Amino acid sequence: MNWTPTDARRRWIVVAGLITGPALIVLSVAINFTPPSDSMRMDFDSMAANPGLIVAEALLEAIGFMVVLASFAGATQALRTRGGVLGIWGAILAIIGIVGFSFSNANGFALAELAQLPDRDAGFATAMAITSGDTASLVGTIGMAMEILGQVGILLVIGGLIRARLVPFWPLLIVVGMVANAVISTMLTTLVVDLLLLAACSWIAVKLARCSHEAWLGMPTIVPADPVSASA
């Protein structure tokens, strides 16, 4: 085993990302706890009234999720033996998820810019043209599907880390939170799920920071033979 400064930097980048990413996601919800209304026009007017807050929220969420997904993809470094298959598929789906979150938040930034046009009605008409229609619906569906695949990728990497005995089983409880949030879908449940993600990722980060160099490099641990048994 040849542990290099590059290996050390890679591990600390992953560890830092597993803590920073979820923290940004939690912050994105906390700074704007107002749920979306049933009227797109009301949401559009809200963007016009609080442009900085809306952009900050979208930016924090986008960066947070992309950092989380990239960090889990990087954590597969430790899954070269046990949990390797889960890690490979998890990393692939995490990268797909990064693209999906980029698409979704780019659309949000465009709407926030339209809300700042002097002619509010013209801006709203343009926003409706962007978000409605078969093409917009297809793009939105694809983006949402990619986001979901990214979240599945996170779960697969966690499963691989559990399979490699690097982390305990409890971080998979975020599945319960995701399901509950999908069913209830309120700002409070979203915040609770994001806090659960922060707790799980932070715990995983601590475990990876403390694991041996061999474990981080995905090398199987060799248990020395018992001298008594060997001589028998």
Side-chain angles (χ1 to χ4, degrees):
M1 189 274 296
N2 184 23
W3 181 258
T4 68
T6 299
D7 294 319
R9 285 191 291 269
R10 286 175 178 171
R11 176 160 71 169
W12 283 112
I13 288 173
V14 169
V15 168
L18 288 173
I19 297 174
T20 304
L24 293 177
I25 296 172
V26 170
L27 183 59
S28 73
V29 178
I31 64 174
N32 185 16
F33 212 61
T34 303
S37 67
D38 297 330
S39 169
M40 185 172 178
R41 182 59 195 246
M42 293 179 63
D43 290 335
F44 190 78
D45 291 338
S46 177
M47 290 182 184
N50 302 286
L53 184 62
I54 299 300
V55 171
E57 177 189 5
L59 189 62
L60 288 171
E61 182 186 33
I63 295 176
F65 271 111
M66 286 190 284
V67 169
V68 169
L69 290 166
S71 298
F72 272 106
T76 58
Q77 166 77 28
L79 303 178
R80 296 183 182 181
T81 52
R82 296 174 66 93
V85 175
L86 291 173
I88 290 173
W89 283 106
I92 292 172
L93 295 181
I95 294 172
I96 293 174
I98 292 175
V99 178
F101 278 103
S102 300
F103 280 165
S104 297
N105 285 279
N107 188 51
F109 294 142
L111 294 179
E113 287 297 319
L114 288 172
Q116 300 309 301
L117 292 177
D119 190 339
R120 187 76 56 80
D121 292 333
F124 180 69
T126 305
M128 288 296 293
I130 292 176
T131 57
S132 61
D134 294 338
T135 302
S137 178
L138 178 61
V139 172
T141 301
I142 293 175
M144 182 177 296
M146 295 174 76
E147 291 180 9
I148 294 174
L149 289 176
Q151 295 176 50
V152 173
I154 290 176
L155 299 179
L156 289 179
V157 175
I158 293 176
L161 293 172
I162 294 172
R163 179 80 174 83
R165 299 178 182 176
L166 292 173
V167 301
F169 186 82
W170 76 263
L172 281 180
L173 288 177
I174 61 176
V175 176
V176 178
M178 290 177 178
V179 173
N181 188 41
V183 174
I184 303 174
S185 189
T186 65
M187 294 300 295
L188 180 58
T189 56
T190 299
L191 180 60
V192 170
V193 171
D194 291 342
L195 287 171
L196 182 58
L197 178 65
L198 174 60
C201 289
S202 297
W203 185 259
I204 292 172
V206 170
K207 288 294 185 179
L208 292 180
R210 292 181 174 178
C211 73
S212 66
H213 294 171
E214 291 84 359
W216 172 251
L217 294 175
M219 297 180 179
T221 303
I222 301 176
V223 179
D226 185 351
V228 177
S229 300
S231 60

